[in-house]
Amino acid sequence: MMGPKGKLFGLGVGPGDPELITVKALKRLQAAPVVAYPAAKGKKGNALTIVESYLSPKQILLPMIYPVTTEKLPPPFSYEESLRGFYDESAALVAEHLDRGVDVAAICEGDPFFYGSFMYLHDRLALRFETEVVPGVCSMLASASVLGAPLVYRNQVLTVLSGVLSREELADRLRNTEAAAVMKLGTNFDKVRTAIADAGLSDRALYVERATMANQRVVPLAEADPDSVPYFAMIIVPGQKWVA
Amino acid sequence: MMGPKGKLFGLGVGPGDPELITVKALKRLQAAPVVAYPAAKGKKGNALTIVESYLSPKQILLPMIYPVTTEKLPPPFSYEESLRGFYDESAALVAEHLDRGVDVAAICEGDPFFYGSFMYLHDRLALRFETEVVPGVCSMLASASVLGAPLVYRNQVLTVLSGVLSREELADRLRNTEAAAVMKLGTNFDKVRTAIADAGLSDRALYVERATMANQRVVPLAEADPDSVPYFAMIIVPGQKWVA
C-alpha cells in the first residue's frame, strides 16, 4: 500500500553570507531528511557551501551534478539538450524520495524563482507533489547593500538584465530605464562595460564580485579586469537620488 | 569629552511573515538598544508588526511618524515638502542617539534599498555615521513564491514598475519586457489592469495582496475589486517557461 507522498521545499538560502538565510528557510532546511543541491562534478557548489554549517550528519545529501557550463559545444552536442537531461535526471532523483514519503529540501543560492536553478525542478515536480517555496535575499539586493547604494527610489523603473544579451540590446535597455542591475557577467563583462559606456552610464555604474560571500570584492568598474571577472559579479546602476 | 558615535543599521525585515527575516537582521535587531520604525500616526506600521515578537522590553522604540500619504494636497501644501520635513526630523531623532554613542536599528519592510523608506535616512546619515545595511527578502520575490510562479528564466529581462506611472507608459514598458512586477497598486489598480490588457498580458498576469502577511489574499486578476485593492498588492507577469 502506498503511504502519503513527501513534500518538496524550494529554499532560497540567500546570496552567500550564511547569516543571510531566512529564519524560515533555516527551519525547513534543518527539518529536511534529504537536502538536494546543484553542483559541478567534484565540487560542493555555492548553495551547499552557504548552508553546510547548519546541517547535521543525519541528513542525506543529494547532489545534482550539472554538465559543463559553456553554452557553446561542438556539434552534434547541444547545451540546451544536455541541460534538459540534467534537469530530468535531477527531478527523477528527487521524486524517488518524495514517492517514498520523504520530504526533500532543494536549496538554491539567492531566491528560488529569481533566475534560480530550482525553477526547473519546480516545473517538473510541483504538479505531482505538494511544494513550498521559501523566498530568499537575491544577489541583486545583496550587491546594492554591499555597495551602500540605494537601488530604486519612489516610482523609478528598474530593469534587470543578463550579461548574455547583445551590446546593442543592453545599451538600448539601459538608456530606457532609471535604474538597472546586470547579472551573469563572467566572459560577458567587457561587452557589458562597453554597453554601459554607450548608454552614458559609466559614471553611475558600480561593480561588485560575489557580494556577501567570503571572497567578496568591490572595485571601480573601470578597474575590473575582464579576464578575471567571475560569473557571480554584478553591475548596479542605482536610481538617481530622490531628494525628499 | 565626546565618546565614539553609535552605528546605524538599516535592517530589511522581509515581506510580512516574521520568519522571513534573515538570521543576520534578527541578530542585529535584538542587539540594538534603539529600534526606529516608520508608522502613520496612532499606528504600529508594518515593519514593527513584523518584528515585535522578537523585541525585548529593554529596547527603546523610536517611532518615525509620517504625514498623510495622499500625494494630492490642496495648495499651498506640497506632499514632497511635507515628506522632506518628515525625513529631516526622523534623521535628527536617530542622530541624537547615534551622537550619544548608542546604536540604532532602523527597520524597513522588505529590503532597505528596494523602494524602502530607509533610503532617505541613509542619504542623510550614512556619511556622518558608520552604517551597515542588511538586505531582506523583497515583496516582489515573496509574491512570486506565494503565487508559485517562477519569475525569470535564464536570460529574460525583468522590469519593475510602479503603479503610479501612466497607463501609456505602463503598457509600453510591459510590451517591451519578458517578465514584470507592478508594485504600489492601491488606487492605481484599475489603470494598471487596463494597461496590462492593453499590452495583451491579461492571461499571464497574477495578482496577490499582502504576500506572506497574516491577511494575504490571492485572487484572479480579473476578479480583484478596484475599490478595495490595498497599497501592498502586487501584479506579477512571470517570464514564459523555458523548457530546458
Side-chain angles (χ1 to χ4, degrees):
Chain A
M1 211 180 82
M2 299 265 292
K5 309 259 186 198
K7 184 169 172 181
L8 173 63
F9 295 91
L11 305 182
V13 301
D17 179 342
E19 292 197 335
L20 289 177
I21 192 172
T22 64
V23 171
K24 176 165 267 182
L26 181 54
K27 267 194 189 177
R28 299 283 189 269
L29 174 72
Q30 292 184 321
V34 177
V35 176
Y37 65 98
K41 199 168 181 173
K43 300 210 171 177
K44 262 195 299 196
N46 281 316
L48 183 62
T49 301
I50 290 169
V51 303
E52 62 184 339
S53 68
Y54 297 128
L55 299 175
S56 98
K58 287 183 192 158
Q59 293 178 285
I60 296 170
L61 291 181
L62 184 65
M64 301 181 286
I65 307 296
Y66 49 74
V68 285
T69 55
T70 168
E71 298 213 12
K72 285 193 182 143
L73 295 179
F77 301 106
S78 143
Y79 184 65
E80 274 71 17
E81 279 177 27
S82 71
L83 272 188
R84 186 177 306 136
F86 160 63
Y87 292 125
D88 286 345
E89 283 163 32
S90 299
L93 282 172
V94 169
E96 264 180 47
H97 292 277
L98 297 172
D99 273 325
R100 289 190 296 110
V102 178
D103 293 348
V104 177
I107 58 175
C108 185
E109 200 180 351
D111 177 88
F113 281 170
F114 190 73
Y115 303 102
S117 56
F118 175 74
M119 294 160 63
Y120 307 104
L121 279 188
H122 176 272
D123 291 347
R124 284 162 173 76
L125 299 174
L127 291 176
R128 290 170 56 198
F129 301 99
E130 190 188 351
T131 302
E132 178 183 339
V133 175
V134 179
V137 174
C138 63
S139 55
M140 174 175 74
L141 296 175
S143 296
S145 76
V146 158
L147 292 163
L151 185 58
V152 265
Y153 290 82
R154 292 188 86 212
N155 301 310
Q156 291 175 340
V157 175
L158 170 67
T159 304
V160 185
L161 298 166
S162 159
V164 170
L165 302 180
S166 72
R167 171 178 166 183
E168 292 68 28
E169 178 167 4
L170 286 166
D172 279 353
R173 290 190 178 273
L174 288 164
R175 278 188 202 98
N176 194 32
T177 191
E178 292 168 285
V182 189
M183 324 206 357
K184 306 191 180 192
L185 294 178
T187 56
N188 300 301
F189 175 78
D190 208 32
K191 172 188 63 184
V192 174
R193 186 163 57 182
T194 306
I196 284 182
D198 292 346
L201 292 171
S202 300
D203 291 346
R204 283 174 51 200
L206 304 170
Y207 172 79
V208 57
E209 297 175 0
R210 306 186 188 86
T212 84
M213 294 185 200
N215 50 357
Q216 166 188 307
R217 190 167 160 260
V218 177
V219 287
L221 179 61
E223 290 169 25
D225 172 12
D227 291 334
S228 68
V229 168
Y231 182 80
F232 284 106
M234 174 110 35
I235 293 174
I236 297 279
V237 182
Q240 308 254 31
K241 276 194 204 317
W242 183 69
V243 184
Chain B
M1 213 179 83
M2 300 264 292
K5 307 260 186 197
K7 184 168 171 181
L8 173 63
F9 296 91
L11 305 183
V13 300
D17 178 342
E19 292 196 337
L20 289 176
I21 193 171
T22 64
V23 171
K24 176 164 267 182
L26 181 54
K27 265 194 191 177
R28 298 283 188 268
L29 174 73
Q30 292 183 322
V34 177
V35 177
Y37 66 97
K41 198 167 182 175
K43 301 210 170 177
K44 263 194 298 198
N46 281 316
L48 184 61
T49 301
I50 291 168
V51 304
E52 62 183 340
S53 68
Y54 297 128
L55 299 175
S56 96
K58 287 184 191 159
Q59 293 178 286
I60 295 170
L61 290 182
L62 184 65
M64 302 182 285
I65 308 295
Y66 50 75
V68 285
T69 54
T70 168
E71 298 214 12
K72 284 196 182 139
L73 295 179
F77 302 106
S78 144
Y79 184 66
E80 273 72 18
E81 279 177 26
S82 70
L83 272 188
R84 186 178 305 137
F86 160 64
Y87 292 126
D88 287 344
E89 283 164 32
S90 299
L93 282 172
V94 169
E96 263 180 47
H97 292 277
L98 297 172
D99 273 325
R100 288 189 298 111
V102 177
D103 293 348
V104 177
I107 57 175
C108 186
E109 200 179 354
D111 177 89
F113 281 169
F114 190 73
Y115 304 102
S117 56
F118 175 74
M119 293 160 63
Y120 307 104
L121 279 188
H122 177 273
D123 291 348
R124 284 162 174 77
L125 298 174
L127 291 176
R128 289 171 56 197
F129 301 98
E130 191 187 352
T131 301
E132 177 182 341
V133 176
V134 180
V137 174
C138 62
S139 54
M140 174 175 75
L141 295 176
S143 296
S145 75
V146 159
L147 292 163
L151 185 57
V152 265
Y153 291 82
R154 291 188 87 212
N155 301 311
Q156 291 176 340
V157 175
L158 169 68
T159 304
V160 185
L161 298 166
S162 159
V164 170
L165 302 179
S166 72
R167 171 178 166 184
E168 292 70 27
E169 178 167 3
L170 286 166
D172 279 353
R173 290 191 179 273
L174 287 164
R175 277 189 203 99
N176 194 33
T177 191
E178 292 168 287
V182 190
M183 323 203 1
K184 305 192 181 193
L185 293 178
T187 56
N188 300 302
F189 175 77
D190 208 33
K191 173 188 63 185
V192 174
R193 186 163 57 181
T194 306
I196 285 181
D198 292 346
L201 293 170
S202 300
D203 291 347
R204 283 174 51 201
L206 303 170
Y207 172 79
V208 57
E209 298 175 359
R210 304 185 190 88
T212 84
M213 294 187 201
N215 50 357
Q216 166 188 308
R217 190 167 160 260
V218 177
V219 286
L221 180 60
E223 290 168 26
D225 172 12
D227 291 334
S228 67
V229 168
Y231 181 80
F232 284 106
M234 176 111 35
I235 293 174
I236 297 281
V237 182
Q240 308 255 32
K241 277 194 202 318
W242 182 69
V243 184

